[in-house]
Structures are given as structure tokens and as C-alpha cells.
């Protein structure tokens, strides 16, 4: 059993120990509908004190459109120095299929930017060489609804590139399935699934490079803090990259942890423990 940590009152309690933050976005900074003002303010305060902030997100789009989305949601640019997305990292994988046919799964046009300049043709699964999943087709879908389609992919031995490793995400007051849940289904059926976002190393290496670029000097990993709300992606990714974690409990794990009621520090420690992350603290919503 992992020893519990006390809840912290805000990022200010830890800020002096870190030179840079690699922060998750969806579930920490916004919920897909609106920004969390306390989180935006906390990151802006950290930057004003000299720290650097890189957003590290499993959004399946390049970082350019994500900046525009953050603007619309009210996440002002004073809260961060740079962004790296799963979409950025995934484009390298898709580029290997230049000139070939791919089968897209996800919203019909929302993720078009993922393919810009890569010279791939979007076709049906019966003629594609790879399946690229950005998310489920609609927010109301469940992975099980795709089992019949997945059997066709499997029969053709199509690899799957999953541009969003997240299984679920907070969207307003709902929890919805993401691309990672469909990746799990396909892997369980025997399919090959490839991912580059969190918790995998390529996206962390790029985020760390951007943090050092913003700082204008080399950074020590012991002074870099990950902030996230998912054990599977944020905690595991932080552990594998060797940086500390500030765990936000009030998002996808809110109900099971009673995040806004009387959370049990031991239950939180036990939830995070399988990731082997070194938790610097926890709080329900990011604040200063």
C-alpha cells in the first residue's frame, strides 16, 4: 500500500520546487465546454513567477487548431508557453503512408487538420492500408458499437493508428469515450494498435524540448512537474518520463474519489500507485 499525501491548497504550495510544468489540458484547464478560471489563473501566476508551462494534450489535432480552440474557451495565452499534441506526434506515423489509402474513424471533418500536407487518401476500410482513429464518430457512441467494423479491419490485418490514447474525457457534465477506448477494443480482438500521445515517450520528449526552449537553458527533470487527471495517461506518462505528478482528482475520477466531498487520501494514493508515479500532491481542481 502506498502512503497517502495530504491535499494541497494550490499550485503555489509546490511552485518553488519546479522550473517548468507539463500540463494536461482537457480535464485540467477546460472541460471541452469552458475554461476552468482557477486553473488558467494558476498557470499564469506560475509563469509570472518565472516558471515555464507547456501544454501536453492527447487531442488528435495539430497544435495550431488547439490554440484557436483554447482562445474560444477562454484559456488566454498568458497561461502557457507552448503546446504539443498527440496529433503532432501522430502525424509522423501517418506520414509513412504518404500516397496511400487510409480509413478515418472519428468526426467527419473536425480532425481534417491532422492530414494536411501528408498526401494520404481517405477511403473505406475495404481498400485502406491503415485505420486512423481520432475519436469515436459521435459523443454518444460506445466502443462496442464498432465491433462489427473492427472485425473487417482485423480480417484485412489493418494496423490502427490511434491519434488520441485517452479512453474517456470530461465533456461539460458528462464523461464520454475517446479514441483510446476503441484502440483497447481492437487490441483485445487481436489487432495492432500504434499510439504516440500520452503516456508514450515521443510526446514527453517534445514537451520537454519546448520547455527548455522557453527557458533558454537545460532543465533538470527533478524540477519539472506534470499536471494531469488521468492515471492511465498522465500518471503513467510522468512516471515513465521520470518527473513528478500533481494529480487533479475532480475530472474523470471525480465520482469514485468523492473529489469535491471528503476525498480519502489513501484511496487516491492507491488509485495512482499502479502507474508508479511520484505524486507531489493532489487537489480537485487546479488553482493557485
Amino acid at each position: 500500500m502506498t502512503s497517502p499525501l495530504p491535499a494541497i491548497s494550490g499550485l503555489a504550495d509546490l511552485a518553488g520546487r519546479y522550473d517548468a510544468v507539463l500540463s494536461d489540458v482537457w480535464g485540467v484547464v477546460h472541460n471541452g465546454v469552458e475554461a476552468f478560471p482557477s486553473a488558467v489563473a494558476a498557470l499564469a501566476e506560475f509563469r509570472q513567477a518565472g516558471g515555464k508551462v507547456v501544454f501536453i494534450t492527447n487531442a488528435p489535432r495539430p497544435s495550431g487548431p488547439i490554440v484557436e480552440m483554447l482562445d474560444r474557451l477562454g484559456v488566454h495565452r498568458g497561461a502557457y508557453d507552448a503546446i504539443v499534441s498527440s496529433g503532432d506526434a501522430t502525424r509522423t506515423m501517418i506520414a509513412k503512408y504518404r500516397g496511400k489509402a487510409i480509413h478515418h474513424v472519428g468526426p467527419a471533418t473536425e480532425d481534417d487538420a491532422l492530414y494536411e500536407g501528408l498526401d494520404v487518401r481517405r477511403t473505406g476500410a475495404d481498400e485502406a492500408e491503415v485505420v486512423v482513429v481520432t475519436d469515436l464518430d459521435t459523443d454518444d457512441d460506445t466502443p462496442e458499437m464498432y465491433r462489427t467494423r473492427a472485425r473487417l479491419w482485423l480480417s484485412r490485418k489493418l494496423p490502427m493508428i490511434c491519434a488520441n490514447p485517452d479512453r474517456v474525457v470530461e465533456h461539460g457534465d458528462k464523461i464520454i469515450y475517446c479514441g483510446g477506448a476503441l484502440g483497447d477494443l481492437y487490441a483485445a480482438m487481436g489487432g495492432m494498435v500504434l499510439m504516440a500521445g500520452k503516456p508514450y515517450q515521443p510526446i514527453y520528449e517534445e514537451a520537454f524540448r519546448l520547455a527548455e526552449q522557453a527557458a533558454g537553458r537545460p532543465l533538470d527533470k527533478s524540477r519539472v512537474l506534470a499536471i494531469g487527471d488521468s492515471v492511465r495517461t498522465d500518471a503513467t506518462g510522468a512516471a515513465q518520463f521520470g518527473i513528478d505528478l500533481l494529480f487533479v482528482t475532480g475530472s474523470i475520477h471525480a465520482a469514485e474519489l468523492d473529489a469535491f466531498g471528503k476525498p480519502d487520501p489513501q484511496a487516491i494514493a492507491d488509485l495512482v500507485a499502479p502507474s508508479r508515479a511520484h505524486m507531489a500532491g493532489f487537489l480537485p481542481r487546479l488553482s493557485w
Side-chain angles (χ1 to χ4, degrees):
M1 180 180 291
T2 303
S3 299
L5 286 169
I8 63 170
S9 61
L11 182 58
D13 292 355
L14 305 175
R17 292 158 46 184
Y18 300 101
D19 299 319
V21 158
L22 308 186
S23 178
D24 181 32
V25 180
W26 202 311
V28 172
V29 181
H30 69 75
N31 65 2
V33 176
E34 59 187 358
F36 298 131
S38 68
V40 176
L43 295 173
E45 287 281 358
F46 181 74
R47 289 188 70 239
Q48 288 173 8
K52 304 302 175 183
V53 175
V54 176
F55 283 161
I56 179 169
T57 173
N58 271 348
R61 291 170 291 284
S63 52
I66 296 170
V67 172
E68 297 171 4
M69 177 185 180
L70 294 176
D71 288 344
R72 291 195 302 272
L73 293 177
V75 181
H76 64 77
R77 301 190 186 187
Y80 60 98
D81 294 278
I83 299 176
V84 61
S85 71
S86 181
D88 292 328
T90 302
R91 279 173 57 84
T92 301
M93 291 182 170
I94 299 172
K96 297 176 183 178
Y97 291 88
R98 188 176 300 276
K100 298 180 180 179
I102 64 111
H103 177 57
H104 171 83
V105 178
T109 59
E110 184 177 313
D111 300 319
D112 284 353
L114 182 66
Y115 305 110
E116 287 181 2
L118 294 183
D119 188 28
V120 293
R121 293 183 296 113
R122 289 165 63 167
T123 69
D126 54 348
E127 61 175 300
E129 295 191 29
V130 64
V131 177
V132 180
V133 174
T134 55
D135 270 311
L136 279 63
D137 292 337
T138 78
D139 289 349
D140 296 323
D141 286 1
T142 67
E144 192 60 34
M145 295 166 61
Y146 292 73
R147 186 173 291 275
T148 298
R149 293 165 64 180
R151 289 193 187 104
L152 172 60
W153 309 336
L154 195 60
S155 71
R156 298 199 59 236
K157 299 182 180 179
L158 298 180
M160 174 189 287
I161 295 175
C162 184
N164 181 357
D166 286 349
R167 284 179 177 148
V168 295
V169 72
E170 182 183 23
H171 190 266
D173 59 356
K174 299 190 301 182
I175 299 295
I176 62 173
Y177 285 104
C178 297
L182 186 52
D184 287 350
L185 173 71
Y186 195 50
M189 294 173 67
M192 177 186 293
V193 180
L194 306 170
M195 302 185 192
K198 297 179 295 182
Y200 303 100
Q201 294 303 284
I203 196 169
Y204 282 91
E205 290 167 357
E206 177 62 8
F208 188 74
R209 184 190 71 79
L210 290 171
E212 289 191 319
Q213 179 177 295
R217 60 183 176 83
L219 295 175
D220 187 327
K221 283 187 179 181
S222 69
R223 292 188 59 83
V224 177
L225 177 70
I227 303 176
D229 67 321
S230 166
V231 174
R232 181 190 187 224
T233 57
D234 300 307
T236 300
Q240 292 177 350
F241 194 62
I243 57 178
D244 291 348
L245 171 73
L246 172 57
F247 189 53
V248 175
T249 59
S251 180
I252 59 174
H253 296 293
E256 65 188 292
L257 296 176
D258 192 20
F260 298 101
K262 295 182 179 180
D264 177 3
Q266 187 62 62
I268 295 169
D270 291 345
L271 179 71
V272 174
S275 71
R276 299 185 182 277
H278 179 263
M279 195 162 52
F282 70 87
L283 72 182
R285 289 281 185 224
L286 181 61
S287 63
W288 183 246

